[in-house]
Amino acid sequence: MTVGIVVFPGSNCDRDVAWALEGCLDIPVRFLWHEERDLSGLEAVVLPGGFSYGDYLRCGAIARFAPVLEEVRTFAERGGPVLGICNGFQVLTEMGLLPGALTRNRDLHFLCQSSELEVRPGACRWLAAYGAGERISLPIAHGEGRYQVEPEELQRLEDQGSVVLRYVANPNGSRGDVAGLTDPTGRVLGLMPHPERACDPITGGLDGRRLLASLLG
Amino acid sequence: MVPASTPSFSVPEALRKEGLSQGDYDEIVRRLGRPPNRAELGMFGVMWSEHCCYRNSRPLLGQFPTSGPRILVGPGENAGVVDLGEGQRLAFKIESHNHPSAVEPFQGAATGVGGILRDIFTMGARPIGLLNALRFGPLEDERNVGLMEGVVAGIAHYGNCVGVPTVGGEVAFDPSYGGNPLVNAMALGLMETDDIVCSGAVGVGNPVVYVGSTTGRDGMGGASFASAELTEASLDDRPAVQVGDPFLEKGLIEACLEAFQSGDVVAAQDMGAAGLTCSCSEMAAKGGLGIELDLDRVPARESGMTAYEFLLSESQERMLFVVAAGREEPLMERFRRWGLQAAVVGRVLQENVVRVLQHGEVAAEVPASALADDTPINHHELLAEPPADLQAHWTWSEAELPPASNAGGLEMAAGPLGWGDALLRLLDDPTIASKRWVYRQYDHQVQANTVVLPGGADAAVIRLRPQQGEGAMAAATRGVAATVDCPNRWVALDPERGAMAAVAEAARNLSCTGAEPLAVTDNLNFPSPDTATGYWQLAMACRGLSAACSALAAPVTGGNVSLYNETRLPDGRMQPIHPTPVVGMVGLVHDLTHVTGLAWLQAGDAIWLLGVPLEENGDDRLGLGASSYLEVVHGRLTGRPPQVDLALEGRVQGFLRQAIAAGLVRSAHDLSDGGLAVALAEACIASGLGARLELPAGASRPDRLLFAEGGARLLVSVAPAQEAAWQAALAEAGASVPAQLLGTVTAESRLVVARGGQPLLELAVEQLRDTYEQAIPSRLRKAGPPPDR
């Protein structure tokens, strides 16, 4: 099995995801340049963190027109697992694969720190290895991670179990403390925290391993 | 064809604008054999500025030790390079962006980061870490708050987007930086090419290729601007500040490293200060060849730019290459793939000139050596003895302090002050307090190699795992440690001792993590050298740096000089900054499993002090002169900093590193601002554990025990299981490494210090932490409107 990692010119966590998957978990990876269209042979696709095309307009607003993302959409529609981390989550909302939007943090600052999260895995296959209500710690590093959605829509998301990761102490003003969201199929997951930064004992905790390793199971 | 020989412009006015003297002009005419035209004069203006040619500091920089067994590239190239062994090489450098940040803090700081990164990857190294040293005026003034918020946001904007972790740094506050903040950025990079890419032009006829961003009118004359003092009118110089694009730089890093690996690039120079002028003349002068540059082929951002504007523009994210003939097309294609500009803009000439063409005519033609070699030196008289005001400060003694007792604290005019309250005041000093508000805005983990998070140890530690190619997917066991340090209060009160202390502290910080210090990059931030005191400060600091770098075997591989850091106050007086020679130091961590942090780890561990022992009354290696305590608690910036015992530093640090490598030590933390008490508090705050100490009874004042600075000192905690091995190591070292058992780490979360059975202070760690963590945020809340919720 091989996992594809999308690379925009401004992606900067693409190699970190590769290190976590291949270096720490022995899962082979293939980089997908933003102009590529060949997703053959991939078991899953990760949209990594970074600044896609600079994100001067709105995070992910330009990225969604990338050729590779047309294929990623098709891949997702056919039931392929897709994981969007940080900027990748922003891109998934711009693509409409996940509802809502991510805006500037409440205090307007970029925040790099660890965050405690409550997991409600529901049907999300990426989180199948975590217990319901389990608390884990993952790093966050974003300037625009404040999840925004209409109250009725948020209620609908809550009701259908889409809010799978929630901040215990909301750092950025996200509606409903949303840190991660899955689609109704449970195959698409977008989250602001960085699981790939919690897979290696030398550099941090290990709470991200089960998320990325879920592809093995 | 040489350009017109009669000046068609007002020479005095042009000289003023370029920051050149009549003497410089006469020398230019002599070197050219004719008067320069306006564009040529502009080229000399930037190349002969302090920023580019060190015209004031060069005679002093010559004394620095610059070679050693691990030094591969010393001063003179874009960055220094050290050999880490096992085939790995580290490029590193520090650079200031003080003047631009004073005028436009966000972009000034952002482009400072961009510039230092280019210095690193121009050598063929991938940037793996950033640090910064910042200085601001007090946060009680709203303007300083605005400057700090802008600078920190600018660094965050650039570093976070470009994908290089900002792993460490220091921030200090003093009124002297009010109008003139300091922004020094340091970058580290791991070489990805077999050959270090140098800047000297090679191969007559080879094409000169321009890559990166377009050239516009931004940043005109930035180097000259950086070499003059700041005034109210400097705000009108905002066009001299460039605008950065970290997204573009990200692509530039990737494309450049690909290009260097292809072997098609034979020389490279980034365009920083003085833009095209500097890069062309440096490449020509270093290669002993010439460069012809056709401005009509330079990708321009706007139309109608004059030759002067092209040559002096400091538009960001640009590089100049000399490329192997015939390889330019595939090379340029790599850059276009990353959405970057790439164009052949000239060629290498046999004749040693920089020739600039525009609209088919020669717009400027200057011998490269005339611009870049034997640049003028401003000679200054060195004062025979220290300035009178400093000598007056040096007469201060502890006898001037109010009476004090162990149990009763200080008898201040306003009433008694307990030692616990004195410690809290120090922890509330923004210079000492937690910098979390700052570093949480920086992505310090991207690249997945950050071993120590900010605040976790005395220096940053990054794992040496390549991002690309061989070794990227293999577990790496070694690391690099880095720190930036400058005790500017000490330097202000004794530049030589202060500069020595900067080096000693940097080496001590590295040693506390277990790293072996390797080399130094220095950033000399000073006021005008044109005053007798200003030049004396610079000269004495250079002397101190040299002595300490030699003694601690950490050669200087380059750096940056920033002079004229002073503000003309509305009343006409000059406000000079504290002289601030920032020392950036890198070290090698041989085994990452032994990296040591500053937090206590386990209750029951013994707390030891290494270095000059307590109760050495009268020892001038330790004292309250020039201390944080004297300034923060007594409001007095005075006294003489202690003697720096470099031999003792070397022995203590060497002993510590061996003990860490042998697994004897659980935590290590150096004593710096605020002395023993602050170091203890920080180890408690970082761990949540407490400490109980019994200090020896004796004749010295309690504040000397608690808050004295100096003495090559550091705190370690040792597990009971290692006690015997630790004692044996100490016994073997004997008197060469003084060590003193002070107390024990406790599970109870309180810091309790007694002396001869009498309590000195007792505080809950929670209270220490609150004070320490809230010092900066609470001042920001007071100074500005609450953030938008």
Side-chain angles (χ1 to χ4, degrees):
Chain A
M1 70 169 298
T2 302
V3 175
I5 302 173
V6 171
V7 182
F8 299 109
S11 296
N12 62 26
C13 298
D14 44 338
R15 294 186 182 96
D16 300 5
V17 172
W19 165 247
L21 284 171
E22 197 166 310
C24 301
L25 296 165
D26 263 334
I27 300 173
V29 301
R30 191 168 97 214
F31 289 114
L32 301 168
W33 186 241
H34 63 124
E35 290 164 336
E36 267 176 57
R37 289 182 176 276
D38 178 13
L39 267 56
S40 60
L42 296 178
E43 299 288 321
V45 173
V46 180
L47 305 176
F51 290 76
S52 52
Y53 294 90
D55 286 345
Y56 292 117
L57 172 58
R58 196 174 67 237
C59 294
I62 295 179
R64 73 188 177 98
F65 297 107
V68 72
L69 290 191
E70 268 180 54
E71 305 305 318
V72 170
R73 181 190 298 279
T74 308
F75 181 84
E77 282 165 1
R78 290 181 187 155
V82 175
L83 174 66
I85 303 169
C86 198
N87 188 225
F89 185 14
Q90 294 162 346
V91 172
L92 290 176
T93 61
E94 287 288 337
M95 289 171 75
L97 285 181
L98 292 173
L102 293 140
T103 62
R104 198 92 184 266
N105 291 348
R106 177 181 52 205
D107 70 357
L108 309 180
H109 290 149
F110 190 96
L111 284 178
C112 180
Q113 60 193 45
S114 99
S115 67
E116 204 186 351
L117 304 167
E118 188 180 284
V119 193
R120 290 278 166 195
C124 180
R125 64 161 292 180
W126 292 92
L127 296 170
Y130 298 83
E134 184 177 347
R135 290 207 171 176
I136 62 170
S137 178
L138 295 179
I140 57 168
H142 58 250
E144 306 191 17
R146 183 181 195 179
Y147 185 70
Q148 306 276 16
V149 70
E150 291 300 323
E152 312 79 65
E153 174 73 358
L154 180 63
Q155 192 54 52
R156 199 181 58 78
L157 292 170
E158 301 268 12
D159 293 346
Q160 70 187 30
S162 294
V163 180
V164 288
L165 287 167
R166 221 183 284 273
Y167 298 111
V168 174
N170 192 334
N172 56 19
S174 282
R175 286 278 174 89
D177 304 323
V178 170
L181 209 58
T182 192
D183 75 336
T185 71
R187 293 194 188 90
V188 177
L189 171 66
L191 76 168
M192 287 314 293
H194 288 268
E196 81 280 13
R197 295 185 183 188
C199 291
D200 181 348
I202 287 278
T203 55
L206 296 173
D207 284 351
R209 285 180 86 108
R210 281 176 286 163
L211 194 161
L212 294 179
S214 67
L215 296 167
L216 293 172
Chain B
M1 188 53 219
V2 170
S5 59
T6 329
S8 56
F9 55 92
S10 158
V11 173
E13 195 178 306
L15 287 176
R16 202 161 42 246
K17 180 148 187 279
E18 303 300 340
L20 292 167
S21 68
Q22 184 61 44
D24 291 336
Y25 184 77
D26 297 341
E27 178 61 20
I28 293 165
V29 174
R30 193 189 67 75
R31 290 190 184 195
L32 294 181
R34 60 178 171 81
N37 67 22
R38 190 64 190 85
E40 291 165 340
L41 191 67
M43 294 166 76
F44 280 100
V46 288
M47 291 301 289
W48 288 9
S49 67
E50 175 65 32
H51 191 85
C52 289
C53 85
Y54 307 113
R55 60 187 298 166
N56 292 288
S57 54
R58 198 154 20 115
L60 300 171
L61 304 179
Q63 65 187 304
F64 289 164
T66 56
S67 57
R70 287 193 185 267
I71 308 300
L72 298 175
V73 175
E77 283 293 340
N78 285 298
V81 182
V82 290
D83 187 354
L84 300 174
E86 302 186 12
Q88 290 183 312
R89 293 154 299 159
L90 183 81
F92 69 107
K93 172 103 179 278
I94 194 166
E95 194 161 80
S96 67
H97 238 213
N98 302 335
H99 284 64
S101 303
V103 176
E104 215 296 275
F106 183 92
Q107 287 297 344
T111 53
V113 174
I116 194 63
L117 289 173
R118 281 193 297 285
D119 281 337
I120 299 302
F121 66 79
T122 306
M123 306 287 292
R126 177 180 297 275
I128 59 168
L130 285 163
L131 295 91
N132 49 72
L134 311 177
R135 295 291 184 285
F136 303 99
L139 294 177
E140 282 69 20
D141 184 336
E142 203 167 293
R143 281 173 307 176
N144 297 327
V145 169
L147 284 169
M148 182 169 87
E149 287 182 330
V151 164
V152 171
I155 291 171
H157 164 69
Y158 210 102
N160 296 351
C161 181
V162 82
V164 179
T166 301
V167 291
E170 52 147 22
V171 190
F173 302 86
D174 183 85
S176 70
Y177 304 109
N180 193 137
L182 301 185
V183 177
N184 294 179
M186 174 174 165
L188 317 177
L190 199 53
M191 294 292 304
E192 279 191 359
T193 56
D194 293 336
D195 298 314
I196 294 166
V197 183
C198 288
S199 55
V202 181
V204 174
N206 273 341
V208 172
V209 173
Y210 170 116
V211 298
S213 185
T214 50
T215 296
R217 288 190 174 97
D218 55 326
M220 297 294 309
S224 310
F225 162 65
S227 302
E229 80 271 6
L230 289 162
T231 63
E232 282 292 319
S234 297
L235 289 176
D236 301 334
D237 276 337
R238 251 171 290 203
V241 180
Q242 316 81 356
V243 176
D245 183 345
F247 168 65
L248 215 149
E249 178 121 324
K250 170 79 168 64
L252 193 57
I253 294 174
E254 304 292 349
C256 281
L257 291 174
E258 284 175 14
F260 296 153
Q261 275 153 13
S262 73
D264 295 340
V265 179
V266 296
Q269 173 78 44
D270 86 295
M271 283 185 245
L276 277 166
T277 298
C278 188
S279 47
C280 286
S281 40
E282 297 258 325
M283 291 180 96
K286 279 190 189 145
L289 296 169
I291 285 186
E292 182 177 82
L293 175 70
D294 185 352
L295 297 179
D296 298 338
R297 295 158 83 175
V298 172
R301 196 170 300 168
E302 43 204 321
S303 58
M305 287 175 62
T306 65
Y308 179 91
E309 288 167 333
F310 269 111
L311 289 168
L312 287 255
S313 162
E314 293 188 8
S315 290
Q316 298 288 292
E317 292 93 21
R318 301 179 300 160
M319 312 268 282
L320 210 56
F321 295 157
V322 174
V323 176
R327 300 297 305 160
E328 55 271 31
E329 262 317 314
L331 177 114
M332 291 194 292
E333 193 43 45
R334 291 178 192 279
F335 285 84
R336 292 186 193 118
R337 179 171 180 264
W338 284 96
L340 300 167
Q341 299 285 336
V344 175
V345 294
R347 62 195 172 102
V348 177
L349 305 174
Q350 178 71 53
E351 195 187 348
N352 182 229
V353 294
V354 175
R355 180 181 298 140
V356 181
L357 308 176
Q358 192 181 30
H359 313 317
E361 290 177 8
V362 176
E365 180 168 326
V366 181
S369 56
L371 278 170
D373 296 346
D374 298 321
T375 51
I377 291 175
N378 293 2
H379 292 281
H380 301 274
E381 282 292 314
L382 183 60
L383 289 174
E385 54 177 57
D389 60 325
L390 267 198
Q391 294 199 44
H393 280 299
W394 292 354
T395 64
W396 179 88
S397 78
E398 288 176 16
E400 293 181 39
L401 287 170
S405 63
N406 288 339
L410 272 168
E411 293 175 33
M412 304 283 275
L417 182 74
W419 299 120
D421 288 332
L423 172 57
L424 291 174
R425 282 202 198 174
L426 282 161
L427 294 176
D428 184 50
D429 177 38
T431 297
I432 290 176
S434 167
K435 307 303 183 300
R436 186 183 307 274
W437 184 88
V438 175
Y439 63 68
R440 75 198 291 222
Q441 298 188 47
Y442 305 147
D443 188 339
H444 39 255
Q445 289 183 301
V446 66
Q447 294 195 7
N449 284 324
T450 306
V451 176
V452 173
L453 297 180
D458 283 358
V461 178
I462 305 169
R463 172 171 55 190
L464 284 167
R465 179 180 62 84
Q467 290 289 293
Q468 275 281 82
E470 212 182 318
M473 288 300 150
T477 57
R478 304 190 314 150
V480 61
T483 182
V484 284
D485 288 289
C486 180
N488 50 272
R489 182 190 302 105
W490 282 33
V491 186
L493 288 164
D494 188 330
E496 185 175 9
R497 289 185 183 179
M500 286 168 120
V503 178
E505 183 173 339
R508 211 179 318 126
N509 283 334
L510 296 184
S511 298
C512 280
T513 67
E516 172 199 353
L518 296 181
V520 162
T521 177
D522 67 302
N523 206 137
L524 303 176
N525 307 275
F526 280 75
S528 167
D530 301 333
T531 68
T533 297
Y535 187 72
W536 180 84
Q537 289 175 330
L538 182 62
M540 299 313 281
C542 287
R543 187 184 289 181
L545 281 178
S546 302
C549 288
S550 298
L552 297 172
V556 178
T557 61
N560 173 251
V561 180
S562 169
L563 303 180
Y564 303 98
N565 287 291
E566 46 197 20
T567 320
R568 193 177 289 282
L569 302 171
D571 66 5
R573 285 179 306 123
M574 294 304 275
Q575 170 66 61
I577 61 159
H578 277 182
T580 312
V582 173
V583 171
M585 196 181 285
V586 295
L588 180 60
V589 177
H590 295 274
D591 182 353
L592 286 174
T593 58
H594 284 146
V595 168
T596 303
L598 66 85
W600 313 130
L601 286 187
Q602 185 71 49
D605 290 356
I607 300 171
W608 287 78
L609 177 72
L610 298 187
V612 176
L614 299 173
E615 280 306 333
E616 292 279 322
N617 220 349
D619 191 321
D620 64 359
R621 295 174 299 174
L622 199 65
L624 291 172
S627 67
S628 299
Y629 168 75
L630 199 52
E631 184 174 15
V632 173
V633 176
H634 297 280
R636 299 200 56 192
L637 179 70
T638 190
R640 189 172 192 187
Q643 284 272 20
V644 180
D645 184 343
L646 295 169
L648 179 64
E649 285 284 358
R651 291 196 304 273
V652 169
Q653 293 176 22
F655 177 82
L656 173 67
R657 293 195 299 271
Q658 281 186 9
I660 289 175
L664 304 184
V665 167
R666 281 234 243 234
S667 73
H669 185 24
D670 93 306
L671 268 60
S672 156
D673 286 354
L676 174 66
V678 166
L680 286 168
E682 286 170 340
C684 290
I685 293 166
S687 64
L689 295 170
R692 182 174 290 277
L693 288 90
E694 177 66 47
L695 306 185
S700 54
R701 293 173 57 98
D703 38 9
R704 183 177 165 92
L705 288 196
L706 292 170
F707 305 119
E709 296 174 11
R713 298 185 301 166
L714 48 94
L715 278 179
V716 301
S717 61
V718 176
Q722 299 299 338
E723 185 70 24
W726 168 255
Q727 295 275 14
L730 283 176
E732 195 180 322
S736 72
V737 179
Q740 202 172 1
L741 178 64
L742 296 185
T744 318
V745 178
T746 61
E748 193 195 7
S749 207
R750 297 184 80 74
L751 173 60
V752 183
V753 183
R755 183 190 196 192
Q758 285 184 297
L760 282 182
L761 64 86
E762 177 166 357
L763 288 162
V765 173
E766 204 47 47
Q767 192 180 2
L768 297 171
R769 180 183 288 128
D770 274 356
T771 306
Y772 185 72
E773 291 293 347
Q774 287 306 315
I776 289 177
S778 68
R779 282 171 176 80
L780 299 184
R781 281 195 295 271
K782 263 181 224 155
D788 174 35
R789 293 281 145 171

